[in-house]
Amino acid sequence: MLFEREDWKLFRNMETLPQKAGVPKSKLSMLVCKELVDNALDLGGDCEIGYEGDFFYVKDHGSGLDPELFSINRPLRSSKYLRLPTRGALGNGLRVVAGAVAASGGELYVSTRGETYKIHWQKDGRALPECLGAYHEEGTKISFSLGKMPINSYWARLAMDYAQGETYLGKTSPYWYTSENFFELFQSFSGSVRELIAQFDGCTGRKAGKIAVNYTKTPAAALGFSETEGLLGELRDQVKNVNPERLGRIGQLVDWDGYCKSSAVFKVRTMKGNQEAEIPFVLEVYAALSDTPHLTVLLNKSPVTGEVNIYHRKNELNLFGCGLTCNVKAKPAVVLINIMTPYIPIVTDGKEPDLSVIKAEIRDGIKKAVSRAQKSLPTPGIKTKSQKEVVADCLENAIAKASGNGEYRFSLRQLYYAVRPYVIRETGKEPDYNYFCRDLIGSYEADHGDIPLMYRDERGTLYHPHCGQDIPIGTIAVENYQKPAWTFNKVLYIEKEGFFNVLFGSSGNYK
Protein backbone atom coordinates (compact mmCIF):
# COMPACT_ATOMS: atom_id res chain seq x y z
CA MET A 1 0.00 0.00 0.00
CA LEU A 2 1.49 3.35 -1.06
CA PHE A 3 0.70 6.87 0.13
CA GLU A 4 1.60 10.14 -1.55
CA ARG A 5 2.00 13.53 0.13
CA GLU A 6 2.93 16.84 -1.48
CA ASP A 7 5.88 18.62 0.07
CA TRP A 8 3.93 21.76 1.07
CA LYS A 9 1.74 19.73 3.42
CA LEU A 10 4.73 19.27 5.73
CA PHE A 11 4.47 23.00 6.54
CA ARG A 12 0.94 22.82 8.02
CA ASN A 13 1.52 19.99 10.52
CA MET A 14 3.22 20.73 13.84
CA GLU A 15 4.87 17.29 13.81
CA THR A 16 6.55 17.83 10.42
CA LEU A 17 6.97 21.62 10.32
CA PRO A 18 10.21 21.53 12.39
CA GLN A 19 11.99 19.49 9.69
CA LYS A 20 11.10 22.13 7.07
CA ALA A 21 11.85 25.03 9.39
CA GLY A 22 15.14 23.50 10.53
CA VAL A 23 14.51 24.09 14.25
CA PRO A 24 12.84 22.04 17.02
CA LYS A 25 9.28 22.85 18.03
CA SER A 26 10.52 24.73 21.10
CA LYS A 27 12.25 27.30 18.84
CA LEU A 28 9.53 27.74 16.22
CA SER A 29 8.17 30.95 17.73
CA MET A 30 11.66 32.49 17.76
CA LEU A 31 12.10 31.55 14.11
CA VAL A 32 8.72 32.96 13.06
CA CYS A 33 9.46 36.32 14.72
CA LYS A 34 12.96 36.38 13.22
CA GLU A 35 11.73 35.61 9.68
CA LEU A 36 9.31 38.53 9.75
CA VAL A 37 11.90 40.92 11.18
CA ASP A 38 14.55 39.76 8.68
CA ASN A 39 12.20 40.46 5.77
CA ALA A 40 11.27 43.87 7.17
CA LEU A 41 14.89 44.88 7.74
CA ASP A 42 15.96 43.72 4.27
CA LEU A 43 13.12 45.63 2.61
CA GLY A 44 13.03 48.84 4.61
CA GLY A 45 16.16 49.05 6.73
CA ASP A 46 14.26 49.30 10.01
CA CYS A 47 11.09 48.05 11.66
CA GLU A 48 9.08 48.06 14.87
CA ILE A 49 8.10 45.05 16.98
CA GLY A 50 5.89 44.59 20.01
CA TYR A 51 3.12 42.67 21.76
CA GLU A 52 -0.61 43.35 21.74
CA GLY A 53 -2.09 40.88 24.19
CA ASP A 54 -1.38 37.36 22.89
CA PHE A 55 -0.30 38.78 19.51
CA PHE A 56 3.19 39.69 18.37
CA TYR A 57 3.52 42.24 15.58
CA VAL A 58 6.13 43.52 13.14
CA LYS A 59 5.70 46.89 11.36
CA ASP A 60 7.84 48.14 8.50
CA HIS A 61 7.91 51.11 6.15
CA GLY A 62 8.19 49.18 2.89
CA SER A 63 5.99 49.21 -0.20
CA GLY A 64 3.65 46.47 1.07
CA LEU A 65 3.02 42.86 0.11
CA ASP A 66 0.34 40.61 -1.32
CA PRO A 67 -1.49 38.77 1.53
CA GLU A 68 -1.74 35.70 -0.69
CA LEU A 69 2.04 35.26 -0.23
CA PHE A 70 1.05 33.51 3.02
CA SER A 71 -0.33 30.56 1.01
CA ILE A 72 1.38 27.43 2.28
CA ASN A 73 1.11 25.59 -1.04
CA ARG A 74 2.62 28.28 -3.28
CA PRO A 75 5.78 27.56 -5.29
CA LEU A 76 9.05 28.67 -3.72
CA ARG A 77 9.20 32.09 -5.38
CA SER A 78 11.85 34.47 -4.10
CA SER A 79 14.18 37.26 -5.16
CA LYS A 80 16.72 35.67 -2.84
CA TYR A 81 17.84 33.20 -5.48
CA LEU A 82 20.07 36.12 -6.44
CA ARG A 83 22.97 35.84 -4.03
CA LEU A 84 23.38 38.98 -1.91
CA PRO A 85 24.67 39.70 1.62
CA THR A 86 21.13 39.98 3.01
CA ARG A 87 19.47 38.19 5.91
CA GLY A 88 17.37 35.68 3.98
CA ALA A 89 18.72 32.70 2.08
CA LEU A 90 15.97 30.35 0.85
CA GLY A 91 12.84 32.48 0.52
CA ASN A 92 10.67 30.02 2.48
CA GLY A 93 10.25 32.32 5.49
CA LEU A 94 6.62 33.27 4.89
CA ARG A 95 5.65 29.63 4.40
CA VAL A 96 7.20 28.82 7.79
CA VAL A 97 5.29 31.73 9.35
CA ALA A 98 2.01 30.65 7.76
CA GLY A 99 2.60 26.99 8.62
CA ALA A 100 3.37 27.74 12.28
CA VAL A 101 0.24 29.87 12.70
CA ALA A 102 -2.01 27.35 10.92
CA ALA A 103 -0.54 24.30 12.66
CA SER A 104 -0.78 25.84 16.14
CA GLY A 105 -4.36 27.05 15.69
CA GLY A 106 -3.27 30.69 15.87
CA GLU A 107 -4.39 33.74 13.92
CA LEU A 108 -2.63 35.96 11.37
CA TYR A 109 -3.53 39.52 10.38
CA VAL A 110 -1.87 41.52 7.59
CA SER A 111 -2.31 45.28 7.26
CA THR A 112 -0.87 46.56 4.00
CA ARG A 113 -1.58 48.91 1.08
CA GLY A 114 -4.51 50.56 2.84
CA GLU A 115 -6.37 47.41 3.98
CA THR A 116 -6.33 45.01 6.94
CA TYR A 117 -6.85 41.30 6.26
CA LYS A 118 -7.37 38.20 8.37
CA ILE A 119 -5.76 35.17 6.72
CA HIS A 120 -7.77 31.96 6.46
CA TRP A 121 -6.10 28.80 5.12
CA GLN A 122 -8.03 26.49 2.85
CA LYS A 123 -7.74 22.73 2.69
CA ASP A 124 -5.59 23.01 -0.43
CA GLY A 125 -3.09 25.29 1.39
CA ARG A 126 -4.19 28.56 -0.24
CA ALA A 127 -4.35 31.73 1.86
CA LEU A 128 -7.79 33.34 1.67
CA PRO A 129 -7.54 36.99 2.86
CA GLU A 130 -10.68 38.37 4.52
CA CYS A 131 -10.74 42.18 4.30
CA LEU A 132 -11.62 43.68 7.70
CA GLY A 133 -11.37 47.37 6.87
CA ALA A 134 -9.04 50.25 6.10
CA TYR A 135 -5.43 50.58 7.28
CA HIS A 136 -4.30 54.20 7.47
CA GLU A 137 -0.56 53.80 8.03
CA GLU A 138 2.31 53.43 5.57
CA GLY A 139 4.13 50.14 5.12
CA THR A 140 2.99 46.76 6.43
CA LYS A 141 1.98 45.45 9.84
CA ILE A 142 1.85 41.69 10.46
CA SER A 143 0.28 40.43 13.71
CA PHE A 144 0.02 36.79 14.74
CA SER A 145 -0.65 34.44 17.62
CA LEU A 146 0.37 30.78 17.92
CA GLY A 147 -2.54 29.29 19.80
CA LYS A 148 -1.36 28.04 23.20
CA MET A 149 2.30 28.24 22.16
CA PRO A 150 4.11 31.15 23.92
CA ILE A 151 5.89 33.61 21.63
CA ASN A 152 9.60 34.24 22.17
CA SER A 153 11.03 37.13 20.14
CA TYR A 154 14.66 36.75 21.26
CA TRP A 155 16.12 36.12 17.77
CA ALA A 156 14.05 38.97 16.31
CA ARG A 157 15.41 41.40 18.92
CA LEU A 158 18.97 40.26 18.21
CA ALA A 159 18.44 40.97 14.51
CA MET A 160 17.15 44.44 15.35
CA ASP A 161 19.96 45.16 17.84
CA TYR A 162 22.61 44.49 15.19
CA ALA A 163 20.84 46.11 12.23
CA GLN A 164 23.42 48.87 12.08
CA GLY A 165 26.65 49.79 10.36
CA GLU A 166 27.33 49.60 6.63
CA THR A 167 25.12 47.84 4.07
CA TYR A 168 25.95 46.44 0.62
CA LEU A 169 24.38 48.61 -2.07
CA GLY A 170 25.53 46.73 -5.17
CA LYS A 171 24.12 43.86 -7.22
CA THR A 172 24.91 40.17 -7.32
CA SER A 173 28.17 39.03 -8.96
CA PRO A 174 28.75 36.26 -11.54
CA TYR A 175 31.69 35.07 -9.41
CA TRP A 176 29.30 34.07 -6.63
CA TYR A 177 27.86 31.11 -8.58
CA THR A 178 29.14 27.73 -9.68
CA SER A 179 28.14 26.42 -13.09
CA GLU A 180 25.32 24.42 -11.46
CA ASN A 181 23.97 27.33 -9.40
CA PHE A 182 23.98 29.63 -12.41
CA PHE A 183 22.00 27.10 -14.46
CA GLU A 184 19.43 26.69 -11.66
CA LEU A 185 19.13 30.48 -11.42
CA PHE A 186 18.16 30.63 -15.10
CA GLN A 187 15.73 27.74 -14.68
CA SER A 188 13.86 29.58 -11.91
CA PHE A 189 13.65 32.98 -13.68
CA SER A 190 10.47 33.81 -15.62
CA GLY A 191 11.91 36.71 -17.65
CA SER A 192 14.28 36.93 -20.60
CA VAL A 193 18.02 36.24 -20.70
CA ARG A 194 18.78 39.94 -21.09
CA GLU A 195 16.64 40.86 -18.09
CA LEU A 196 18.50 38.39 -15.90
CA ILE A 197 21.94 39.44 -17.14
CA ALA A 198 21.07 43.04 -16.22
CA GLN A 199 20.72 41.98 -12.55
CA PHE A 200 24.47 41.43 -12.24
CA ASP A 201 27.01 43.92 -10.92
CA GLY A 202 28.49 45.98 -13.76
CA CYS A 203 26.21 44.51 -16.45
CA THR A 204 23.39 46.99 -16.90
CA GLY A 205 22.29 48.67 -20.13
CA ARG A 206 24.42 48.22 -23.24
CA LYS A 207 26.73 45.65 -21.66
CA ALA A 208 23.80 43.38 -20.80
CA GLY A 209 22.54 43.62 -24.37
CA LYS A 210 25.98 42.77 -25.75
CA ILE A 211 26.38 39.66 -23.56
CA ALA A 212 22.84 38.44 -24.36
CA VAL A 213 22.98 39.32 -28.06
CA ASN A 214 22.43 35.70 -29.14
CA TYR A 215 19.37 35.37 -26.86
CA THR A 216 17.57 38.68 -27.50
CA LYS A 217 14.07 37.57 -26.49
CA THR A 218 14.81 34.05 -25.34
CA PRO A 219 13.28 33.06 -21.99
CA ALA A 220 16.03 32.44 -19.44
CA ALA A 221 14.52 29.09 -18.45
CA ALA A 222 14.84 27.83 -22.06
CA LEU A 223 18.66 27.71 -21.95
CA GLY A 224 20.56 24.49 -21.42
CA PHE A 225 23.46 23.87 -19.05
CA SER A 226 26.20 24.44 -21.63
CA GLU A 227 24.58 27.71 -22.75
CA THR A 228 24.32 29.12 -19.22
CA GLU A 229 27.88 28.08 -18.44
CA GLY A 230 29.06 29.92 -21.54
CA LEU A 231 27.17 33.04 -20.45
CA LEU A 232 28.72 32.77 -16.97
CA GLY A 233 32.17 32.80 -18.54
CA GLU A 234 31.29 35.86 -20.65
CA LEU A 235 29.95 37.68 -17.61
CA ARG A 236 33.16 37.05 -15.68
CA ASP A 237 35.21 38.33 -18.61
CA GLN A 238 33.33 41.64 -18.43
CA VAL A 239 33.49 42.38 -14.69
CA LYS A 240 35.73 41.92 -11.65
CA ASN A 241 34.69 40.16 -8.46
CA VAL A 242 33.32 42.39 -5.72
CA ASN A 243 35.86 43.55 -3.15
CA PRO A 244 34.90 41.98 0.23
CA GLU A 245 35.15 45.41 1.86
CA ARG A 246 32.01 46.44 -0.07
CA LEU A 247 29.85 43.78 1.60
CA GLY A 248 29.09 45.85 4.70
CA ARG A 249 29.70 45.36 8.41
CA ILE A 250 28.28 46.10 11.84
CA GLY A 251 31.42 47.92 12.98
CA GLN A 252 32.81 48.39 16.46
CA LEU A 253 30.34 48.27 19.38
CA VAL A 254 30.82 50.06 22.69
CA ASP A 255 29.60 47.09 24.75
CA TRP A 256 32.45 44.85 23.59
CA ASP A 257 36.06 45.18 24.75
CA GLY A 258 37.68 43.20 21.95
CA TYR A 259 36.98 43.57 18.22
CA CYS A 260 38.63 42.04 15.17
CA LYS A 261 37.63 42.42 11.51
CA SER A 262 39.03 40.50 8.55
CA SER A 263 37.99 39.74 4.99
CA ALA A 264 38.84 37.03 2.47
CA VAL A 265 37.41 34.77 -0.23
CA PHE A 266 36.53 31.06 -0.09
CA LYS A 267 35.84 28.84 -3.10
CA VAL A 268 33.00 26.43 -3.81
CA ARG A 269 33.87 23.64 -6.24
CA THR A 270 31.72 22.82 -9.24
CA MET A 271 30.77 19.17 -9.70
CA LYS A 272 29.87 18.93 -13.40
CA GLY A 273 30.89 22.27 -14.89
CA ASN A 274 34.03 24.36 -15.22
CA GLN A 275 33.25 27.48 -13.17
CA GLU A 276 33.95 27.51 -9.44
CA ALA A 277 32.32 30.08 -7.18
CA GLU A 278 34.53 32.65 -5.46
CA ILE A 279 32.68 33.88 -2.36
CA PRO A 280 33.92 37.01 -0.56
CA PHE A 281 33.17 37.54 3.12
CA VAL A 282 33.79 39.93 5.99
CA LEU A 283 34.27 38.38 9.42
CA GLU A 284 33.71 40.41 12.59
CA VAL A 285 34.50 38.95 16.01
CA TYR A 286 33.63 40.64 19.30
CA ALA A 287 34.80 39.39 22.70
CA ALA A 288 34.54 40.14 26.43
CA LEU A 289 36.29 38.08 29.09
CA SER A 290 33.87 35.94 31.10
CA ASP A 291 33.96 32.95 33.44
CA THR A 292 30.85 31.64 31.65
CA PRO A 293 31.67 31.45 27.91
CA HIS A 294 28.83 32.07 25.50
CA LEU A 295 28.74 32.32 21.70
CA THR A 296 26.32 34.10 19.36
CA VAL A 297 26.71 33.75 15.59
CA LEU A 298 25.16 36.21 13.14
CA LEU A 299 24.95 35.78 9.38
CA ASN A 300 24.52 39.13 7.64
CA LYS A 301 23.59 40.68 11.00
CA SER A 302 20.88 38.13 11.87
CA PRO A 303 21.25 35.16 14.29
CA VAL A 304 21.74 31.74 12.74
CA THR A 305 19.19 29.07 13.62
CA GLY A 306 21.75 26.31 14.16
CA GLU A 307 23.51 25.86 17.49
CA VAL A 308 27.21 26.60 17.85
CA ASN A 309 28.45 25.73 21.32
CA ILE A 310 31.47 27.02 23.21
CA TYR A 311 33.21 25.95 26.40
CA HIS A 312 36.60 26.54 28.03
CA ARG A 313 38.99 23.78 29.08
CA LYS A 314 42.75 23.66 29.61
CA ASN A 315 43.39 27.24 28.46
CA GLU A 316 41.39 26.74 25.26
CA LEU A 317 38.03 27.86 23.96
CA ASN A 318 36.40 24.91 22.21
CA LEU A 319 33.77 25.49 19.53
CA PHE A 320 31.52 22.94 17.86
CA GLY A 321 28.34 23.04 15.80
CA CYS A 322 27.19 24.17 12.31
CA GLY A 323 30.09 22.28 10.74
CA LEU A 324 32.58 24.02 13.02
CA THR A 325 35.01 22.15 15.25
CA CYS A 326 38.02 24.07 16.48
CA ASN A 327 40.07 24.95 19.54
CA VAL A 328 41.41 28.44 20.27
CA LYS A 329 44.09 29.09 22.85
CA ALA A 330 42.43 31.94 24.72
CA LYS A 331 40.92 33.06 28.01
CA PRO A 332 37.27 32.19 28.69
CA ALA A 333 35.06 34.79 27.00
CA VAL A 334 31.67 35.76 25.66
CA VAL A 335 32.00 35.92 21.87
CA LEU A 336 29.88 37.41 19.10
CA ILE A 337 30.60 36.53 15.46
CA ASN A 338 29.11 38.30 12.45
CA ILE A 339 29.69 37.04 8.90
CA MET A 340 28.82 39.26 5.94
CA THR A 341 28.66 37.19 2.75
CA PRO A 342 26.39 36.67 -0.28
CA TYR A 343 26.48 32.92 0.19
CA ILE A 344 27.48 30.26 2.68
CA PRO A 345 26.65 26.54 2.36
CA ILE A 346 23.58 25.51 4.35
CA VAL A 347 22.77 22.07 5.67
CA THR A 348 19.02 22.31 6.46
CA ASP A 349 15.87 23.98 5.12
CA GLY A 350 16.13 26.16 8.22
CA LYS A 351 19.30 27.80 6.82
CA GLU A 352 21.73 26.26 9.33
CA PRO A 353 25.12 27.31 7.90
CA ASP A 354 28.19 25.17 7.32
CA LEU A 355 30.88 27.33 8.94
CA SER A 356 33.70 24.91 8.17
CA VAL A 357 34.49 26.86 4.97
CA ILE A 358 35.87 29.76 7.05
CA LYS A 359 37.06 27.81 10.11
CA ALA A 360 40.62 29.12 10.02
CA GLU A 361 39.49 32.75 9.85
CA ILE A 362 37.04 32.24 12.74
CA ARG A 363 39.74 30.68 14.89
CA ASP A 364 42.19 33.53 14.21
CA GLY A 365 39.49 36.19 14.73
CA ILE A 366 38.47 34.81 18.13
CA LYS A 367 42.08 34.64 19.29
CA LYS A 368 42.73 38.27 18.34
CA ALA A 369 39.43 39.60 19.74
CA VAL A 370 39.88 37.86 23.11
CA SER A 371 43.47 39.08 23.31
CA ARG A 372 42.34 42.66 22.69
CA ALA A 373 39.59 42.30 25.29
CA GLN A 374 42.18 41.18 27.83
CA LYS A 375 44.35 44.23 27.11
CA SER A 376 41.41 46.60 27.66
CA LEU A 377 40.84 45.58 31.30
CA PRO A 378 41.36 48.26 34.00
CA THR A 379 44.83 48.66 35.53
CA PRO A 380 45.21 46.58 38.75
CA GLY A 381 45.29 48.59 41.97
CA ILE A 382 42.73 51.22 40.96
CA LYS A 383 39.74 51.23 43.33
CA THR A 384 36.50 50.22 41.59
CA LYS A 385 32.84 50.00 42.52
CA SER A 386 31.31 46.74 43.72
CA GLN A 387 29.12 44.71 41.38
CA LYS A 388 26.08 45.58 43.50
CA GLU A 389 26.81 49.32 43.22
CA VAL A 390 27.34 49.12 39.46
CA VAL A 391 24.13 47.15 38.90
CA ALA A 392 22.15 49.58 41.05
CA ASP A 393 23.46 52.50 38.98
CA CYS A 394 22.88 50.97 35.54
CA LEU A 395 19.80 48.77 36.03
CA GLU A 396 17.30 51.32 34.76
CA ASN A 397 19.29 51.85 31.54
CA ALA A 398 19.83 48.10 31.14
CA ILE A 399 16.09 47.41 31.48
CA ALA A 400 15.35 50.09 28.87
CA LYS A 401 17.87 48.53 26.48
CA ALA A 402 16.65 44.95 27.00
CA SER A 403 13.00 45.97 26.54
CA GLY A 404 13.45 48.44 23.69
CA ASN A 405 12.35 51.26 26.00
CA GLY A 406 9.40 49.24 27.26
CA GLU A 407 8.21 48.00 23.87
CA TYR A 408 8.66 44.23 24.28
CA ARG A 409 9.37 41.48 26.76
CA PHE A 410 12.84 40.31 27.68
CA SER A 411 14.40 37.45 29.59
CA LEU A 412 16.47 37.56 32.77
CA ARG A 413 19.46 36.42 30.74
CA GLN A 414 19.00 39.30 28.28
CA LEU A 415 18.97 41.72 31.21
CA TYR A 416 22.19 40.11 32.43
CA TYR A 417 23.85 40.73 29.04
CA ALA A 418 22.63 44.33 29.09
CA VAL A 419 24.17 44.84 32.56
CA ARG A 420 27.38 42.91 31.89
CA PRO A 421 29.26 45.64 29.91
CA TYR A 422 28.75 48.15 32.74
CA VAL A 423 30.10 45.72 35.33
CA ILE A 424 33.14 44.75 33.26
CA ARG A 425 33.90 48.39 32.45
CA GLU A 426 33.73 49.46 36.12
CA THR A 427 35.18 46.43 37.92
CA GLY A 428 37.24 44.63 35.29
CA LYS A 429 35.43 41.39 36.18
CA GLU A 430 32.69 39.35 34.58
CA PRO A 431 29.54 39.35 36.77
CA ASP A 432 28.62 35.92 38.07
CA TYR A 433 25.30 34.93 36.47
CA ASN A 434 23.95 33.01 39.47
CA TYR A 435 24.89 35.83 41.85
CA PHE A 436 23.25 38.33 39.49
CA CYS A 437 19.99 36.33 39.33
CA ARG A 438 19.75 35.21 42.93
CA ASP A 439 21.17 38.08 44.96
CA LEU A 440 21.17 41.23 42.84
CA ILE A 441 17.91 40.90 40.89
CA GLY A 442 16.26 38.82 43.61
CA SER A 443 17.01 41.54 46.16
CA TYR A 444 15.86 44.28 43.80
CA GLU A 445 12.51 42.57 43.12
CA ALA A 446 12.01 41.91 46.85
CA ASP A 447 12.21 45.68 47.41
CA HIS A 448 10.52 46.97 44.26
CA GLY A 449 8.31 44.12 43.01
CA ASP A 450 8.59 42.17 39.74
CA ILE A 451 10.43 43.93 36.93
CA PRO A 452 7.79 44.76 34.28
CA LEU A 453 7.99 42.78 30.99
CA MET A 454 10.80 40.52 32.25
CA TYR A 455 10.34 36.77 32.09
CA ARG A 456 12.40 33.85 33.34
CA ASP A 457 13.36 30.97 31.06
CA GLU A 458 11.97 27.46 31.43
CA ARG A 459 13.23 25.43 34.37
CA GLY A 460 11.78 21.94 34.30
CA THR A 461 8.62 20.51 32.74
CA LEU A 462 5.06 19.91 33.89
CA TYR A 463 3.40 16.82 32.42
CA HIS A 464 -0.32 17.48 31.98
CA PRO A 465 -2.00 14.02 32.07
CA HIS A 466 -5.43 15.22 30.84
CA CYS A 467 -4.00 16.94 27.76
CA GLY A 468 -1.03 14.60 27.27
CA GLN A 469 1.27 17.62 27.00
CA ASP A 470 4.68 18.50 28.40
CA ILE A 471 4.45 22.14 29.50
CA PRO A 472 7.80 23.93 30.07
CA ILE A 473 7.78 25.79 33.38
CA GLY A 474 8.77 29.37 32.62
CA THR A 475 7.19 32.77 33.17
CA ILE A 476 5.42 32.99 29.81
CA ALA A 477 4.15 29.40 29.82
CA VAL A 478 2.80 29.80 33.37
CA GLU A 479 1.09 33.08 32.42
CA ASN A 480 -0.56 31.45 29.41
CA TYR A 481 -1.64 28.30 31.28
CA GLN A 482 -5.39 27.85 31.51
CA LYS A 483 -6.68 25.62 34.28
CA PRO A 484 -8.93 22.82 32.92
CA ALA A 485 -12.51 22.35 34.07
CA TRP A 486 -11.50 19.35 36.19
CA THR A 487 -9.08 19.43 39.14
CA PHE A 488 -6.37 17.18 40.51
CA ASN A 489 -6.27 15.41 43.84
CA LYS A 490 -2.59 14.50 43.66
CA VAL A 491 0.55 16.12 42.27
CA LEU A 492 3.81 14.24 41.69
CA TYR A 493 6.88 16.47 42.02
CA ILE A 494 10.21 15.25 40.60
CA GLU A 495 13.23 17.47 41.23
CA LYS A 496 15.54 15.77 38.73
CA GLU A 497 14.90 15.04 35.07
CA GLY A 498 15.13 11.58 33.58
CA PHE A 499 12.52 9.68 35.60
CA PHE A 500 9.56 10.14 33.26
CA ASN A 501 10.14 6.96 31.28
CA VAL A 502 10.61 5.00 34.50
CA LEU A 503 7.32 6.12 36.03
CA PHE A 504 5.19 6.36 32.90
CA GLY A 505 4.63 4.02 29.98
CA SER A 506 4.58 5.06 26.33
CA SER A 507 0.86 5.91 26.69
CA GLY A 508 1.57 8.42 29.46
CA ASN A 509 -0.29 6.36 32.08
CA TYR A 510 1.23 5.93 35.51
CA LYS A 511 2.57 2.42 36.08
Short mmCIF file of all heavy atoms in Angstrom, two decimals, residues 31 39 41 80 126-127 196 215 229 232 327 330-331 357 367 503:
data_model
loop_
_atom_site.label_atom_id
_atom_site.label_comp_id
_atom_site.label_asym_id
_atom_site.label_seq_id
_atom_site.Cartn_x
_atom_site.Cartn_y
_atom_site.Cartn_z
N LEU A 31 11.83 31.51 15.54
CA LEU A 31 12.10 31.55 14.11
C LEU A 31 11.07 32.37 13.37
O LEU A 31 11.40 33.16 12.48
CB LEU A 31 12.14 30.12 13.56
CG LEU A 31 12.39 30.00 12.05
CD1 LEU A 31 13.75 30.59 11.68
CD2 LEU A 31 12.29 28.55 11.59
N ASN A 39 12.79 39.94 7.00
CA ASN A 39 12.20 40.46 5.77
C ASN A 39 12.00 41.97 5.85
O ASN A 39 12.27 42.70 4.89
CB ASN A 39 10.85 39.77 5.52
CG ASN A 39 11.01 38.36 5.01
OD1 ASN A 39 12.08 37.97 4.55
ND2 ASN A 39 9.95 37.57 5.10
N LEU A 41 13.61 44.17 7.74
CA LEU A 41 14.89 44.88 7.74
C LEU A 41 15.52 44.88 6.35
O LEU A 41 16.11 45.88 5.93
CB LEU A 41 15.84 44.24 8.75
CG LEU A 41 15.47 44.41 10.22
CD1 LEU A 41 16.41 43.60 11.11
CD2 LEU A 41 15.51 45.88 10.63
N LYS A 80 15.49 36.03 -3.53
CA LYS A 80 16.72 35.67 -2.84
C LYS A 80 17.49 34.54 -3.51
O LYS A 80 18.50 34.08 -2.99
CB LYS A 80 16.40 35.34 -1.37
CG LYS A 80 15.93 36.59 -0.63
CD LYS A 80 15.49 36.33 0.78
CE LYS A 80 15.04 37.62 1.45
NZ LYS A 80 14.53 37.44 2.80
N ARG A 126 -4.13 27.18 0.20
CA ARG A 126 -4.19 28.56 -0.24
C ARG A 126 -4.53 29.48 0.94
O ARG A 126 -5.27 29.10 1.85
CB ARG A 126 -5.25 28.75 -1.33
CG ARG A 126 -4.91 28.15 -2.67
CD ARG A 126 -5.99 28.46 -3.70
NE ARG A 126 -7.29 27.94 -3.27
CZ ARG A 126 -8.33 28.72 -2.96
NH1 ARG A 126 -8.22 30.03 -3.01
NH2 ARG A 126 -9.49 28.17 -2.60
N ALA A 127 -3.99 30.70 0.89
CA ALA A 127 -4.35 31.73 1.86
C ALA A 127 -5.54 32.52 1.31
O ALA A 127 -5.47 33.04 0.20
CB ALA A 127 -3.17 32.66 2.12
N LEU A 196 17.75 39.01 -16.99
CA LEU A 196 18.50 38.39 -15.90
C LEU A 196 19.94 38.86 -15.89
O LEU A 196 20.51 39.14 -14.82
CB LEU A 196 18.43 36.86 -16.01
CG LEU A 196 19.10 36.05 -14.88
CD1 LEU A 196 18.62 36.53 -13.52
CD2 LEU A 196 18.82 34.57 -15.05
N TYR A 215 20.61 35.83 -27.51
CA TYR A 215 19.37 35.37 -26.86
C TYR A 215 18.47 36.58 -26.61
O TYR A 215 17.98 36.80 -25.51
CB TYR A 215 19.68 34.69 -25.53
CG TYR A 215 20.73 33.60 -25.61
CD1 TYR A 215 22.06 33.87 -25.24
CD2 TYR A 215 20.41 32.33 -26.06
CE1 TYR A 215 23.03 32.88 -25.31
CE2 TYR A 215 21.38 31.33 -26.13
CZ TYR A 215 22.68 31.63 -25.76
OH TYR A 215 23.63 30.63 -25.83
N GLU A 229 26.48 28.06 -18.86
CA GLU A 229 27.88 28.08 -18.44
C GLU A 229 28.70 28.99 -19.35
O GLU A 229 29.60 29.71 -18.88
CB GLU A 229 28.46 26.67 -18.46
CG GLU A 229 29.87 26.62 -17.88
CD GLU A 229 30.38 25.21 -17.69
OE1 GLU A 229 30.22 24.39 -18.61
OE2 GLU A 229 30.95 24.93 -16.62
N LEU A 232 28.02 32.48 -18.23
CA LEU A 232 28.72 32.77 -16.97
C LEU A 232 30.17 33.16 -17.25
O LEU A 232 30.69 34.10 -16.65
CB LEU A 232 28.66 31.54 -16.04
CG LEU A 232 29.34 31.69 -14.68
CD1 LEU A 232 28.77 32.88 -13.91
CD2 LEU A 232 29.18 30.40 -13.87
N ASN A 327 39.60 24.55 18.23
CA ASN A 327 40.07 24.95 19.54
C ASN A 327 40.90 26.23 19.39
O ASN A 327 41.70 26.35 18.46
CB ASN A 327 40.93 23.86 20.18
CG ASN A 327 40.21 22.52 20.24
OD1 ASN A 327 39.02 22.48 20.49
ND2 ASN A 327 40.94 21.44 20.00
N ALA A 330 42.90 30.62 24.30
CA ALA A 330 42.43 31.94 24.72
C ALA A 330 41.78 31.84 26.09
O ALA A 330 41.39 30.76 26.55
CB ALA A 330 41.43 32.50 23.71
N LYS A 331 41.63 32.98 26.74
CA LYS A 331 40.92 33.06 28.01
C LYS A 331 39.44 32.78 27.79
O LYS A 331 38.91 32.96 26.68
CB LYS A 331 41.10 34.46 28.61
CG LYS A 331 42.52 34.82 28.99
CD LYS A 331 42.94 34.14 30.27
CE LYS A 331 44.31 34.64 30.73
NZ LYS A 331 44.73 33.99 31.99
N VAL A 357 33.80 26.24 6.11
CA VAL A 357 34.49 26.86 4.97
C VAL A 357 35.33 28.06 5.39
O VAL A 357 36.22 28.49 4.65
CB VAL A 357 33.49 27.28 3.87
CG1 VAL A 357 32.86 26.05 3.24
CG2 VAL A 357 32.42 28.22 4.42
N LYS A 367 40.83 34.48 18.53
CA LYS A 367 42.08 34.64 19.29
C LYS A 367 42.46 36.11 19.40
O LYS A 367 42.84 36.59 20.48
CB LYS A 367 43.19 33.85 18.59
CG LYS A 367 44.50 33.82 19.37
CD LYS A 367 45.51 32.91 18.69
CE LYS A 367 46.80 32.84 19.50
NZ LYS A 367 47.79 31.93 18.86
N LEU A 503 8.60 6.08 35.33
CA LEU A 503 7.32 6.12 36.03
C LEU A 503 6.12 5.98 35.11
O LEU A 503 5.04 5.56 35.52
CB LEU A 503 7.21 7.43 36.80
CG LEU A 503 8.26 7.63 37.91
CD1 LEU A 503 8.17 9.04 38.45
CD2 LEU A 503 8.04 6.62 39.04
#
